[in-house]
Amino acid sequence: MKSLRTAVLALALSAATAFPAMAEPVKIGSKNFTEQFIVAEIYAQALEKAGVEVEKRLNLGATQIAHTALTSGEIDLYPEYTGTALAAVVKGELTSDADQIYTAVKKFYEENLDLTLLEPTAINNGYAIILLPEKAEEYKLKTLTDLGPASKDLTFGAEGTFGERKDGLPGLERVYGIKFKEFVQFAKLGIRYSALTSEQIDVSFGFSTDWQIEDSKLAVLEDDKGLFPPYYLVPVVRQDALEANPKIAETLNKIAPLLTNEKMRAMNAAVERDRKEPAEVAAEFLQSEGL
């Protein structure tokens, strides 16, 4: 009987060696807007080409929803912005020093959340306060300091949590004394540009990779006191997923310097203006970069 048990155990060990356990697919998430869809698709397709099985869970929602999905293990990685992580998760002091923000966020994530940041991309998708050029000329606005006294006569419109963020409306009031006549909050993303051009609102915010700013020739006010921190796009990854799949870091770090504001604006326009699918745009990017 003993020899039989020994033989069965030996057979089981032999089978385990011959057929190793399959690695779990890497679950890639994203927030709920175009740029996130595209970058998550780039990550997914690049990892697939590197031989990593992936599962996409895109369009999760706003920052806190995506972050919770990551910390709970529902996803293994998603693209985040350093300034957003600092303000929304770390709740640290805002600064214009990009390296300081990256280091602070990475340290906090590793020590408290079992997450880590890979190499940041060259995309700095920072805030821009925007308005029609004729409105800027009417009030002689070039900087956010100029906007302070004029804001009492102007309506501001935005989506999401801009009205609550430390680097949103509360920050504009604290640093520049900006207090708008009215704040209109939109329920749907992307409304601000049509609302601006149709003059339903006077002022809004955009991001540096928004193609509409250039297309609509909108005026961008200078953040002359440095309220807005840098928002470098960076993959945030669960440490256990990284240990199980070393190709994640190798692959995504190779992509990081190739993603720039100029390329991101073009890709966002391809999806939102030209009606291409994010997966198609991601594939074109990887092909154009020889990946």
Side-chain angles (χ1 to χ4, degrees):
M1 183 65 73
K2 182 176 180 182
S3 61
L4 178 60
R5 286 199 301 269
T6 304
V8 170
L9 178 60
L11 184 62
L13 290 172
S14 175
T17 305
F19 302 101
M22 295 294 290
E24 289 288 319
V26 174
K27 300 180 289 293
I28 299 176
S30 82
K31 299 193 219 182
N32 57 345
F33 53 93
T34 300
E35 181 164 300
Q36 287 272 311
F37 305 153
I38 297 169
V39 174
E41 282 284 358
I42 289 172
Y43 290 167
Q45 292 180 30
L47 286 171
E48 285 178 331
K49 290 177 187 295
V52 178
E53 185 182 356
V54 304
E55 183 181 315
K56 290 181 286 189
R57 299 185 180 180
L58 311 187
N59 198 16
L60 293 169
T63 298
Q64 289 299 344
I65 297 174
H67 177 72
T68 300
L70 187 64
T71 55
S72 68
E74 182 183 339
I75 59 173
D76 296 313
L77 69 93
Y78 79 98
E80 185 54 279
Y81 303 90
T82 54
T84 300
L86 180 74
V89 179
V90 179
K91 302 192 185 302
E93 288 302 314
L94 302 180
T95 171
S96 58
D97 188 320
D99 291 337
Q100 186 177 327
I101 291 174
Y102 177 84
T103 301
V105 173
K106 184 177 174 69
K107 184 173 186 290
F108 182 91
Y109 274 38
E110 290 178 351
E111 292 180 355
N112 299 280
L113 302 171
D114 293 324
L115 308 175
T116 190
L117 276 60
L118 299 184
E119 292 297 316
T121 68
I123 293 172
N124 179 11
N125 197 9
Y127 280 138
I129 300 301
I130 53 178
L131 66 167
L132 293 173
E134 45 273 33
K135 187 67 69 173
E137 187 175 345
E138 177 186 349
Y139 284 90
K140 296 181 171 51
L141 305 178
K142 291 184 179 179
T143 68
L144 292 181
T145 294
D146 297 336
L147 182 59
S151 60
K152 67 182 187 303
D153 300 322
L154 302 172
T155 298
F156 185 90
E159 312 96 334
T161 58
F162 193 83
E164 304 160 11
R165 295 172 59 111
K166 288 169 65 177
D167 54 350
L169 286 184
L172 288 172
E173 183 173 356
R174 184 183 72 255
V175 175
Y176 291 104
I178 293 171
K179 197 163 185 178
F180 292 103
K181 177 177 67 175
E182 183 183 359
F183 171 45
V184 179
Q185 185 167 10
F186 303 118
K188 189 177 177 182
L189 289 171
I191 296 296
R192 59 184 177 272
Y193 286 106
S194 59
L196 264 179
T197 54
S198 63
E199 300 188 54
Q200 296 175 48
I201 57 174
D202 301 310
V203 186
S204 189
F205 79 96
F207 298 99
S208 301
T209 58
D210 287 351
W211 59 272
Q212 298 95 326
I213 294 177
E214 188 173 329
D215 262 31
S216 301
K217 297 180 171 52
L218 297 173
V220 178
L221 300 183
E222 180 191 349
D223 178 17
D224 50 316
K225 293 182 181 177
L227 166 64
F228 300 135
Y231 290 84
Y232 279 95
L233 184 71
V234 60
V236 180
V237 191
R238 290 180 59 85
Q239 290 182 327
D240 55 1
L242 206 54
E243 289 163 7
N245 299 275
K247 283 187 177 179
I248 294 175
E250 178 187 339
T251 303
L252 302 192
N253 285 342
K254 189 183 297 183
I255 291 170
L258 305 176
L259 284 167
T260 66
N261 278 22
E262 183 180 4
K263 292 173 186 174
M264 199 68 245
R265 276 193 295 269
M267 288 191 282
N268 286 335
V271 172
E272 295 181 355
R273 184 189 62 201
D274 305 335
R275 303 303 179 192
K276 289 187 175 183
E277 288 296 321
E280 179 187 358
V281 172
E284 289 172 353
F285 168 81
L286 290 170
Q287 185 176 7
S288 70
E289 299 294 340
L291 298 173

